[in-house]
Amino acid sequence: MGRLMKLRNLIDLFKDKASLIKATLSIKRVAGSINVAVLRATTHDSSGPPTEKHVGAVLALGNGSRVTASLCIEAIMDRLHDTQRASVAIKCLLTIHSIIARGPFILQDQLSFYPSSGGRNFLNLSTFRDNSGVDMWELSSWVRWYAGFLEQNLMVSKVLGHYLCSSPRANNKEDKEDKVQAFSTSDLSRELDVLVDIAEQIGEAPDSLHLQRIALVYEVVRMVGEDYRLVQSQILLRLSELGNRAENMSYGELTRVVNALKRFEDCKERLSLLFANRKRNDGLWELIGETKMKLLMMIRKMEEMRLVMVRMGRRDDGGSESTRFRNPFAQSGKLFGSDLVLVHGWA
């Protein structure tokens, strides 16, 4: 087994060398230099993530023309989709993540429109498998999860109007709250939904958490953890504002927010395991619990008022026209089950 691994590593090293020589000697000088930068950032070496120097060289391609930026994104995607090695795939994804996090606008712009047809699974790695060894087979699950996270990250950016990592800077907390207050309740609810979507995706990390000791996986978790911190911050801002608006929200808006909060709570334990070494945001979870109870009380109040109206309608019309007062909330208790029981202390 040890000899096979050494042979595999040697073959991969030759592949990297051959690819670099081919790109260097390319008659298309611009495309060749772009491919060289991408190849150096995405070698087969699984001992660690791409160096800052090599990632920086790729990001620097965004300081040129739009054509250069487009060729850069195309080169990364070609490298990602042509490889059968998990180490190369993860390095490509780390490079893409670096573009999202701190790349020049022109590179981010080209990435957001790749492919031109769009789609939720544009990275197309949901069936990725590296069967070259047990270690690479396990690493493949991290490739699939990480690709799904980056796809979700880009979907969220389209709803929020900016990347998580490059959210508009506000001078202080009050300025940030003022910006959120200008949003409609439906916009806030929609944004809360997509933010919880990305939290759920993060929580679906592979069970092989022990692989975090591998430098490649450690870097993936570190970068995802930075984004999760920003997700928490964005959720906190919107949740605080939605809580203040509870008494003026419709039944549909209330149920949408409650469902989103329940989904977020359901992945709390998994998120805690993934980021066990990070500082816990207890204040956020306390606010979620308090806000959910407040919204459930509002929902219950609406249901009770509707029942009163139905009974009054039956009394006034002798039941002949009671169908005009059908209760649209009759089945709503099934949506929240135990939460409504907890609110009222029913057995």
Side-chain angles (χ1 to χ4, degrees):
M1 184 64 71
R3 287 183 179 179
L4 285 175
M5 186 174 294
K6 287 180 180 180
L7 179 60
R8 183 188 71 189
N9 292 340
L10 186 60
I11 292 172
D12 288 342
L13 178 62
F14 283 138
K15 284 182 179 179
D16 286 338
K17 293 289 185 183
S19 297
L20 280 170
I21 292 171
K22 181 180 177 181
T24 302
L25 298 178
S26 173
I27 58 174
K28 298 179 180 179
R29 302 193 64 178
V30 174
S33 63
I34 291 171
N35 283 327
V36 167
V38 171
L39 288 167
R40 285 175 174 165
T42 59
T43 62
H44 287 76
D45 180 17
S46 61
S47 63
T51 66
E52 181 59 33
K53 175 185 175 181
H54 290 149
V55 172
V58 174
L59 298 184
L61 295 171
N63 297 327
S65 67
R66 186 169 293 274
V67 172
T68 300
S70 178
L71 288 172
C72 175
I73 297 300
E74 187 176 343
I76 295 171
M77 293 301 180
D78 287 346
R79 177 73 163 161
L80 177 63
H81 293 141
D82 289 345
T83 189
Q84 295 179 343
R85 288 289 183 263
S87 55
V88 174
I90 282 191
K91 287 185 177 183
C92 288
L93 295 174
L94 283 168
T95 303
I96 291 171
H97 200 168
S98 295
I99 291 172
I100 294 173
R102 54 194 174 92
F105 170 77
I106 192 171
L107 272 181
Q108 294 178 341
D109 187 50
Q110 291 299 311
L111 180 62
S112 67
F113 287 103
Y114 182 93
S116 57
S117 58
R120 294 181 64 91
N121 189 30
F122 75 98
L123 292 177
N124 196 28
L125 294 176
S126 58
T127 59
F128 181 88
R129 291 279 192 290
D130 182 344
N131 296 315
S132 61
V134 175
D135 53 341
M136 292 297 107
W137 188 83
E138 282 192 321
L139 196 58
S140 296
S141 63
W142 287 89
V143 172
R144 296 191 296 272
W145 169 75
Y146 194 22
F149 164 77
L150 291 176
E151 288 168 344
Q152 191 67 50
N153 193 319
L154 291 173
M155 293 290 291
V156 169
S157 72
K158 292 177 181 178
V159 175
L160 298 184
H162 57 79
Y163 286 111
L164 281 171
C165 311
S166 55
S167 57
R169 300 289 179 183
N171 293 329
N172 51 50
K173 182 180 179 182
E174 288 72 23
D175 288 342
K176 291 179 181 179
E177 291 173 349
D178 288 343
K179 289 180 182 295
V180 170
Q181 287 171 6
F183 297 155
S184 68
T185 299
S186 61
D187 284 342
L188 288 175
S189 301
R190 182 166 56 97
E191 291 180 355
L192 180 64
D193 262 338
V194 298
L195 287 165
V196 172
D197 285 344
I198 198 169
E200 285 184 318
Q201 174 63 34
I202 295 172
E204 292 175 2
D207 292 329
S208 53
L209 295 179
H210 62 279
L211 289 185
Q212 287 192 50
R213 68 176 184 269
I214 298 175
L216 266 177
V217 176
Y218 179 86
E219 181 63 11
V220 168
V221 174
R222 186 193 69 79
M223 291 191 70
V224 172
E226 290 298 315
D227 281 0
Y228 176 54
R229 180 179 58 81
L230 296 172
V231 167
Q232 288 181 311
S233 176
Q234 295 289 331
I235 288 177
L236 182 60
L237 275 174
R238 286 156 180 77
L239 189 55
S240 297
E241 179 60 23
L242 287 168
N244 294 333
R245 299 185 189 185
E247 295 184 0
N248 298 315
M249 290 167 66
S250 68
Y251 181 86
E253 290 168 340
L254 289 168
T255 55
R256 182 175 185 176
V257 174
V258 168
N259 285 333
L261 296 183
K262 283 176 64 62
R263 289 195 294 124
F264 193 26
E265 285 183 321
D266 287 344
C267 57
K268 177 183 176 181
E269 183 177 349
R270 186 66 182 170
L271 290 167
S272 298
L273 284 174
L274 184 60
F275 305 115
N277 297 325
R278 288 181 173 269
K279 184 179 179 181
R280 294 175 55 185
N281 193 344
D282 293 329
L284 172 62
W285 295 109
E286 289 174 6
L287 178 63
I288 288 173
E290 293 170 2
T291 303
K292 191 179 77 169
M293 288 284 93
K294 181 179 181 179
L295 299 185
L296 284 170
M297 289 293 288
M298 294 298 302
I299 289 171
R300 188 62 193 175
K301 220 178 262 189
M302 286 184 174
E303 290 180 336
E304 290 173 349
M305 288 177 64
R306 179 61 64 179
L307 285 173
V308 169
M309 290 175 64
V310 170
R311 288 168 183 158
M312 288 177 63
R314 286 174 178 169
R315 191 174 299 128
D316 292 342
D317 299 336
S320 60
E321 299 181 17
S322 62
T323 54
R324 290 184 304 164
F325 300 93
R326 281 186 180 179
N327 178 11
F329 309 108
Q331 300 300 319
S332 61
K334 294 180 181 179
L335 290 174
F336 307 106
S338 59
D339 289 312
L340 287 175
V341 170
L342 288 172
V343 170
H344 293 274
W346 296 339

